[in-house]
Each structure stands twice: as C-alpha cells, then as structure tokens.
Amino acid sequence: MTASTAKPQRWVGNRLPRREDPRMLRGAGRFVDDIADPHAYHATFVRSPIAAGRIASIDASEALAMPGVHAVLTAADLGYPQLTAALERAEFVATQMPLLAYDRVRYASEPVAIVVAESRYLAEDAAEAVLCEFDETQAVLSIRDVTDGGRALHDEAPDGVLVDLQMFSDDLLGEALDRAPVVLEETISSGRVMAAPMEARACHAQPDARDDQLVLHVSTQVPHQVRSGVAQALGLPERRVRVIAPDVGGGFGLKCVVGREEVVVAAVAEQLGHSVRWSEDRQENLTAAFHGREQEYLVRAGFDSDGTLIGVDADIRCNIGAYSVYPFSCGVEPLMAATELPGVYKVGRYAARARGVATNKPPTAPYRGVSRPQIVLVMERLMDKAAKQLDIDRVEIRRRNTIHADEFPYTGPNGITYEPGSYVESLDRLVDEIGKAGWWERRAATADGVLRGIGIANFSERTAYGTPTMGMRKMQMTPGFEVSHVRMDPTGEVTVTSGTCGHGQGHETTFAQIVADRLGISPDRVKLRQGDTDLVSFGWGTFGSRSLVIGGGSAAVAARRLADKIRKVAGELLEADPADIDLVDGHAEVRGAPDAHVSIEQIAATVHFRAHELREHDEQLLEARGAADPPGMFSNAAHAALVEVDPGTGDARVVDYIVVEDCGVVINPTIVDGQVRGGVAQGIASALYEELVYSPEGQPLAGTFMDYLVPTASEIPPIAVHHLETPCDQTETGAKGMGEGGTIGAPATVVSALNDALRAYGADIDHVPVRPADLLTLFKEHRLHTPREAS
C-alpha cells in the first residue's frame, strides 16, 4: 500500500454537503407516520370547545357503540395521571398538568378524553359523538387580565402568578436614573406565536412483550426526557420505556418538552396491550400545541449626554398559558429574559423583575431563542430611541455601549461573565457591508413613493448551557452534559452515539467531520446514531444551540481517546513509540518515516480478529467514551435589514438582509449559513406575519395557515451571511453554537428598519408583529406630519 504523502485533510471548516439530504430528497426519510403497523389502533382526542369552565359530564356511550371503536378513556380511566414541572425556588408555584382534564378546562382545545378506533376517520367521527357538558366561566386571556386581578386558573396561585422573580436589584439605580440627562420609559411587547414545524407532533406506542417494554416512537427533540416523563406519569421504571425519535420534521422548541398527548397514547397502549398511533393535524398543532413569546416589557432606562447607558430597570411579564411545561417549567421565559436582557451592552446599573402569569391559552414552551428575540428588541429599541433624542448616530451609540475586545472577559451587573467575542468588529463589518451593498443610496430613493429604511441590531446568543449554568435555574431536572460513545468495527468503520437528537441541523455531517479529523479518516466512514434511549444510555437532546458544542464536544473527546488507542496498537505493529504515530488519510504512520505505516483497516482487523498478536493493547475492542459539560458561552452577530413600506396599503417587506456572525470555529459553513437563513426567516415571520389571535371568549382565531401567516419564499429576501471566527477556549472544538441566532436578531432588526422607514412620521413602533393595519393606523394618526403634507 502506498503511504500518504499529501497534506493531511482537515474536515472541520469544509463545506461538505449534508449527508442527510439525499435520503430526504428521495423521500426515503422515516418519520413517525412512516412506521408500518397495519394493526395499530388510531387515536384522536376529544378537546374542550371552551377556554374556561368546569366539566359537568362526559358521555361516551354513543361513541362506544360505534363498530370499530375500541375505547373512549377519560382521566379517571387512566388513574388521573399528570406531569409536574418544578423549580426549587420559593418564588415558584408548582402546579399539576393533568394528562386529560378532569375537573376543569383551562384553554380551548385542551384534551378531555381519548378515542381509540380501527381507523383515523372512525376515531374522528367517534370523538364528535362524545357528549361533553361544561359550566363555562370568564376566560383570563391577557397579561393585564391577570395583573388587574382576573380569575385565577389554579387554586395554588390565587393571584394568577406562577413565578415572580426579582432577579436583580440595585438600591442606587433609581437615583441614577433620576439624575440621567435622558430617561426613557417604554413598553415593548410581542405577540403570541408558535413554531409551526413542517411535521406536527406524532407518536406511535407499541407494547413489546419479549423485552417487557413499551416502545414509543415520537417526533421529539428530547427522547430521554420523554422517557422520563412517560415513566414518571405512568409509574413505570425507565428501563421499561424505550423512546425512539426517527427523522423529525422540525421542532424549534415545540418538541423539546413532553406533550401530554404523547404520554396519554403511551398509557392507552399499555392499558390495552395494543399498539396505538396518533398524529396531530394542523388545526390541533396551531390551537393545542405549545406556544411562546407573548411578553410585555416595562422598561426605564437612563442615558448620559454622550449616549452612555447608565442603567436599566425592567419589569418583565410573560403570558405562559395554562400550565407549566415538563420539564422546563413556566420559568424558562421569565428567567431567560431577566438574566440576559443586557446582552452585548455595558449596563451600568441593572434591576429586573420577571413574572409568569397563567391564562386560558395553551402552555408556552421554549420556542426558538426563548425570550431573546424580545430582549434584543428591547435593547435595540432603547439604543435607537436614545440616539434619536441625543442626536447621535445609531451605529455610534451602539459602538459606545458595546463590550469592546479589550474588556473581555467582561462581567456584567447580571453576574454573567462573557468570554471573548467580536461584538464591535461585527458591528463595524456590518456597516461596511451595508455600504458595499449600496443600501444608503437605495434608502434615499423616493421617486416611487415607497418608504425605505435600514435597521440594525447587535446582539449575543448564549449557547450550550451546561449544568453549571442550568443549575442556577434550580430546576428539579437539570439538563446540561452529554456523553458520546465512539467505536470502530473490524472493517475500520466508525459509529458515534450521542444523546443529542438532530431534527434538521445536519448532525450526521458535522459530527462526522469532527470525529474524522481526530481519527484521520474520511467522514464517509463515520456514522452518527442518535434518538434511541436504548442505544444511547442518556442524553438531554437538542435545543438551545447545544448539540454541536456539547454533543459534538463529547464526541470529539471520545474520538481523541480512541485515536490514542489506535496509535498504541499502531505503535506495537510498527515497533514505534505511539507518541510518534500520526493518523493521516486512513493510515497510521510514523512521523518522519512515511514508508512505515499501517492502514486503519489493518489495525481494526488485528484488534478484533488477531488480538492474541498484541501484547501491549490490553483491551479487546476499539472504543471510547467522552463527556462534555461546558459552562455556556456566547456567540454574537450583527444584523441589518432593508425594508420597503407602501404608505397606501401598509404593506411592509424586507427586501434585503445582511448577517455578520461569529460562532467560534465554524465546523461546516454551508450548514451554518443554512441555520442562519432559516432563523432569520423565522424572525422576519414573527416581526411581520405570524400571531395567534384569540377572541374575547378565548377562542383561537388562527386554525389554519390561511390565518396564521407562515411566510413563503416570496416574503423572505436574499440573506448574505459573513463569518467571523473567535475560537472558544472552553469547548473541545472551539465552536460556540449558533442554532438560534438568526431568529434572535431578526425581529429587532426589522422593527429598527420600519422605524427608520417611518422616520418622517415621527412615530415609534414598539411591538411585533407589525401588520399592515398597524401601519395604516399609524399613517392616519400622524398624517399631519407626512412629508407630502408638510410641503
């Protein structure tokens, strides 16, 4: 065999095509609905038609009489199972979430019974035959309903507040703000939205008598958390529950919590001793699945005359819906918002109170970005408003308040220490790119009557929360670490397992790149296995921009350890010191003597088939484990949007978009670009299009995509992505994570651009989404100040 003489290939940093794509494009992906089980029963849920009230009766006799209907079960039939999420904080009120409502209903579409039948159609018909009577009460829908003394949803929380946290306080803040030359008192809010993944929730539960297990296929981001939730709710040992996540058609946080429907289907399969399947339709997905981001910020901020931010006092209110979600609890949005509001800016003094209020709407889950789109919107609005009052350039006021490179590591008044990033460099690069793209000239064009504006946002994204950070939240179940196993088979092929669970992020590609670099082989020889609780001993799943950093980091550690074992075997075969062995292009070779080499295949075959020839390798297999549990680090980015507004119709469109991002070492630029662009699209959606609106009675008014406006390709502009790299010294790969950054920055950027486009009208927009009707109202209110009339 010819020795390697070429420069060793380094796979990290290459734009390798995603390995997942060919099978997806050929229709060979395997999702929950693709699981062939012709004998499975089909389930559907009887849901509450009202938002609030007592359940007077449930009569299933007519449904049960229908041929092919096997069961109609209520909470009583299942033993009143429930899920309880808790924070170990005195300020938190723990409440139970019944898997099926049994005494009262707390939102329209809440499940009250499950129907199991031979077919989906029959199950749906039978569900309509279940007669339910309710004593309806007044619904509590808004944050103001609760803070103004509305009816409580839970007896344990008579004031309607499930969590009330004074996260930070400063006795000198009030005096400092009183003396500030410029004081802003603002209310900034965001509407209720949801993830709307391409594949809605789905599960298939099957008892396995041979292994004495309940096997549950679920469209989830967190298989092990689903296993824990099912085991706890049904009183089963965890070994009896096997959860498998096949291909998952998007999650965005909606699937990183445990759905009550999934646990009910498991309970019914266990009780009936028969496989049961359920797939959520789009109406259920919009009205009964998890929501997010209905928040309101009352902020008081002071600026010095040179634009220096003196202090911020924030009162944060989150509408968390009817229940705490398992396992994160309803504290996830308030905690995130209060802790990370300052972002990239040096806030002299800081105080924050954060509350989660219960209303008659579906529970909120950690939707992509978890409060950070809102806190970036708040800080960027403060910067734009202060710049306007002080007549300082918008970029310059940001530059003056941003943490500079020579100030890292920087510890803010929120107690967070930020590791080095490119906060100012990214902002300056963004300004350069705006100039190169000719945006200022396009902004100045007025001949067609269209209003144009440029928006900017500068922000960080805390990523990869390990147990040191998650432990500070005081959850009963604290996510954080990951463990990976890397093993080489007799042919030299490598299998990697991880507790993370990809659902579109390209893990099969990026994990292979990381491992291949350390073993000196092609990524084509590395296969990632994930999403199976029997295959992977434990893991926390995929959310919070953690997978590549923590899961990939643990795989890197394991691969490095396996590489050491391979070098040891090669050293014995080549009669060389293992420290002198390089793993290069599928070979182990002696450094400085390229003719002395042995292939990876020969090493693997020797270890497995001719172990008796090895005296120094005292293990029978080629495998290793690795773990990672970083403290959490900060990626950063600067965004810019160019918008056009039609003053006649109120139609607003983003026509161009620029991103400068720094996520540390970029493992695969193509995949990072894709993640950024997808995130920006979701951010634009929540800024201009998407909102879950409710009637005064609590009825959801968005039941289809005709009402909930998910943007299409025609609404999303070209998005240019530019990379900076500040390697992280706290992670194995130098990467920082970036999955949510695009979504986090886009709403603030678009709102900044809209306000710039409407600069001649002298009006501020402080909420999202911004609909055409909002802009037409604004034009009407400020019509006397239009440029045309002024002239």
Side-chain angles (χ1 to χ4, degrees):
M1 185 169 292
T2 303
S4 170
T5 56
K7 184 179 180 181
Q9 175 69 61
R10 178 174 167 77
W11 298 104
V12 167
N14 279 329
R15 290 183 177 272
L16 295 187
R18 285 167 34 113
R19 298 172 64 176
E20 300 88 338
D21 289 350
R23 78 167 189 275
M24 295 296 179
L25 294 172
R26 290 197 304 266
R30 187 178 65 219
F31 299 84
V32 170
D33 253 8
D34 295 320
I35 296 170
D37 183 359
H39 304 293
Y41 296 159
H42 294 257
T44 194
F45 288 88
V46 179
R47 298 185 181 276
S48 170
I50 62 172
R54 295 279 175 184
I55 300 175
S57 65
I58 299 176
D59 181 358
S61 56
E62 184 178 344
L64 286 168
M66 297 172 68
V69 174
H70 295 288
V72 178
L73 302 171
T74 65
D77 300 316
L78 298 177
Y80 300 101
Q82 49 83 25
L83 290 170
T84 302
L87 298 178
E88 294 173 337
R89 291 176 174 271
E91 310 97 323
F92 177 80
V93 180
T95 54
Q96 294 182 348
M97 181 169 66
L99 297 188
L100 294 171
Y102 57 86
D103 58 348
R104 57 193 292 191
V105 291
R106 294 181 172 88
Y107 60 89
S109 295
E110 182 169 10
V112 298
I114 182 172
V115 178
V116 182
E118 286 290 330
S119 72
R120 173 71 178 266
Y121 303 103
L122 183 54
E124 295 275 1
D125 289 343
E128 292 186 4
V130 176
L131 301 178
C132 300
E133 294 184 348
F134 300 90
D135 297 325
E136 187 171 5
T137 57
Q138 179 65 44
V140 176
L141 299 172
S142 71
I143 293 170
R144 295 295 172 89
D145 285 348
V146 177
T147 56
D148 290 347
R151 184 189 298 269
L153 272 70
H154 300 274
D155 295 339
E156 303 92 324
D159 61 354
V161 180
L162 297 190
V163 62
D164 188 347
L165 303 157
Q166 184 66 50
M167 292 293 293
F168 304 96
S169 58
D170 185 332
D171 294 339
L172 301 178
L173 175 60
E175 182 181 346
L177 294 181
D178 290 341
R179 293 201 311 266
V182 172
V183 178
L184 302 173
E185 296 191 37
E186 310 294 338
T187 299
I188 299 169
S189 62
S190 59
R192 175 168 284 246
V193 293
M194 65 102 60
M198 187 177 298
E199 180 198 27
R201 296 180 297 166
C203 61
H204 172 275
Q206 184 170 30
D208 184 334
R210 180 178 182 275
D211 290 330
D212 187 28
Q213 280 189 316
L214 181 62
V215 180
L216 189 61
H217 285 79
V218 186
S219 183
T220 180
Q221 302 168 228
V222 289
H224 289 85
Q225 294 185 48
V226 173
R227 183 180 71 176
S228 295
V230 170
Q232 291 175 23
L234 305 187
L236 300 173
E238 292 221 10
R239 69 147 188 87
R240 281 212 58 223
V241 182
R242 180 183 183 186
V243 175
I244 301 171
D247 287 320
V248 175
F252 312 115
L254 183 148
K255 297 175 183 174
C256 84
V257 294
V258 180
R260 58 209 298 192
E261 291 90 346
E262 298 152 5
V263 187
V264 170
V265 168
V268 172
E270 177 80 352
Q271 187 173 113
L272 300 182
H274 198 281
S275 57
V276 179
R277 69 190 319 154
W278 169 71
S279 294
E280 185 179 57
D281 64 28
R282 187 55 66 185
Q283 184 180 50
E284 287 180 298
N285 181 246
L286 289 168
T287 62
F290 302 103
H291 296 172
R293 296 184 183 171
E294 187 172 356
Q295 301 181 7
E296 184 177 83
Y297 292 72
L298 282 62
V299 185
R300 187 167 183 243
F303 287 81
D304 215 333
S305 56
D306 64 355
T308 301
L309 179 56
I310 295 171
V312 173
D313 189 356
D315 183 358
I316 301 162
R317 304 167 181 185
C318 303
N319 184 337
I320 57 90
Y323 299 103
S324 263
V325 293
Y326 179 94
F328 289 95
S329 87
C330 68
V332 63
E333 284 192 342
L335 278 165
M336 179 78 82
T339 304
E340 301 187 12
L341 177 62
V344 299
Y345 297 115
K346 296 174 286 188
V347 178
R349 296 189 178 280
Y350 180 55
R353 179 187 184 188
R355 283 173 278 182
V357 303
T359 63
N360 292 113
K361 294 179 180 177
T364 55
Y367 178 34
R368 196 175 189 181
V370 189
S371 292
R372 286 168 292 183
Q374 286 68 47
I375 63 178
V376 172
L377 174 64
V378 170
M379 295 305 294
E380 297 305 300
R381 290 301 301 131
L382 293 178
M383 289 296 153
D384 279 348
K385 289 169 183 283
K388 183 178 179 181
Q389 287 207 22
L390 291 165
D391 195 23
I392 299 174
D393 178 78
R394 288 185 293 161
V395 174
E396 180 56 30
I397 197 169
R398 285 171 168 82
R399 190 182 290 116
R400 291 178 187 178
N401 286 292
T402 297
I403 305 166
H404 286 238
D406 59 358
E407 295 174 304
F408 292 114
Y410 175 87
T411 300
N414 53 355
I416 293 175
T417 298
Y418 300 77
E419 88 276 10
S422 55
Y423 299 178
V424 176
E425 186 181 0
S426 295
L427 183 62
D428 289 342
R429 173 71 180 274
L430 183 77
V431 174
D432 288 344
E433 296 298 334
I434 291 173
K436 292 177 186 175
W439 282 18
W440 298 114
E441 292 78 5
R442 293 168 68 183
R443 175 180 180 265
T446 59
D448 56 3
V450 174
L451 306 173
R452 294 181 174 83
I454 296 174
I456 55 174
N458 195 24
F459 62 96
S460 62
E461 174 196 4
R462 199 177 196 183
T463 66
Y465 298 77
T467 56
T469 303
M470 295 297 277
M472 297 173 70
R473 295 186 179 181
K474 301 182 180 180
M475 297 168 59
Q476 279 189 339
M477 295 172 63
T478 303
F481 66 86
E482 284 297 337
V483 177
S484 284
H485 182 219
V486 178
R487 67 175 186 272
M488 181 173 284
D489 69 20
T491 63
E493 299 287 306
V494 174
T495 299
V496 181
T497 62
S498 174
T500 56
C501 186
H503 45 280
Q505 295 88 347
H507 289 179
E508 293 179 37
T509 310
T510 49
F511 277 57
Q513 289 178 264
I514 291 170
V515 170
D517 267 353
R518 283 153 182 79
L519 299 181
I521 60 176
S522 166
D524 293 339
R525 305 186 67 180
V526 181
K527 176 64 178 175
L528 175 67
R529 301 289 303 278
Q530 55 187 338
D532 185 337
T533 57
D534 269 17
L535 183 67
V536 182
S537 54
F538 196 76
W540 288 102
T542 289
F543 55 89
S545 302
R546 70 187 303 275
S547 294
L548 198 285
V549 178
I550 307 181
S554 64
V557 172
R560 174 164 49 80
R561 291 172 177 169
L562 176 58
D564 289 340
K565 295 182 180 183
I566 293 171
R567 290 191 185 92
K568 187 176 180 182
V569 175
E572 185 172 355
L573 295 176
L574 298 171
E575 299 181 351
D577 187 336
D580 294 331
I581 299 293
D582 289 331
L583 303 180
V584 181
D585 296 340
H587 293 81
E589 62 183 39
V590 180
R591 191 174 307 123
D595 290 338
H597 64 274
V598 60
S599 71
I600 292 294
E601 292 92 333
Q602 288 174 286
I603 294 171
T606 301
V607 169
H608 288 89
F609 299 149
R610 304 186 64 81
H612 62 285
E613 295 178 356
L614 299 172
R615 289 173 295 177
E616 297 179 12
H617 181 69
D618 53 4
E619 299 180 39
Q620 283 69 46
L621 302 173
L622 284 173
E623 62 181 5
R625 287 186 183 277
D629 190 11
M633 55 284 309
F634 288 86
S635 295
N636 66 273
H639 285 200
L642 177 63
V643 304
E644 293 182 349
V645 179
D646 184 331
T649 65
D651 181 52
R653 284 179 176 267
V654 182
V655 296
D656 215 344
Y657 206 97
I658 299 172
V659 173
V660 178
E661 71 84 35
D662 184 347
C663 63
V665 171
V666 179
I667 305 299
N668 185 319
T670 297
I671 288 178
V672 171
D673 290 353
Q675 291 260 35
V676 169
R677 291 191 173 104
V680 169
Q682 275 189 310
I684 291 173
S686 62
L688 293 177
Y689 304 107
E690 298 179 358
E691 184 175 18
L692 292 163
V693 179
Y694 281 76
S695 75
E697 296 77 27
Q699 291 298 323
L701 301 182
T704 72
F705 282 158
M706 291 294 289
D707 316 302
Y708 190 76
L709 302 179
V710 176
T712 66
S714 64
E715 280 83 39
I716 302 303
I719 301 169
V721 183
H722 305 276
H723 300 284
L724 301 177
E725 289 194 42
T726 305
C728 181
D729 60 7
Q730 301 177 54
T731 63
E732 181 73 15
T733 61
K736 295 182 176 182
M738 48 63 61
E740 299 177 315
T743 306
I744 291 170
T749 308
V750 173
V751 171
S752 174
L754 288 173
N755 280 299
D756 186 47
L758 275 57
R759 55 194 177 277
Y761 289 76
D764 280 342
I765 299 170
D766 290 326
H767 68 275
V768 289
V770 184
R771 299 285 186 78
D774 300 324
L775 295 177
L776 289 176
T777 299
L778 188 149
F779 291 138
K780 183 178 180 181
E781 291 176 349
H782 296 268
R783 58 187 296 271
L784 295 180
H785 304 290
T786 63
R788 181 179 301 172
E789 294 187 10
S791 63

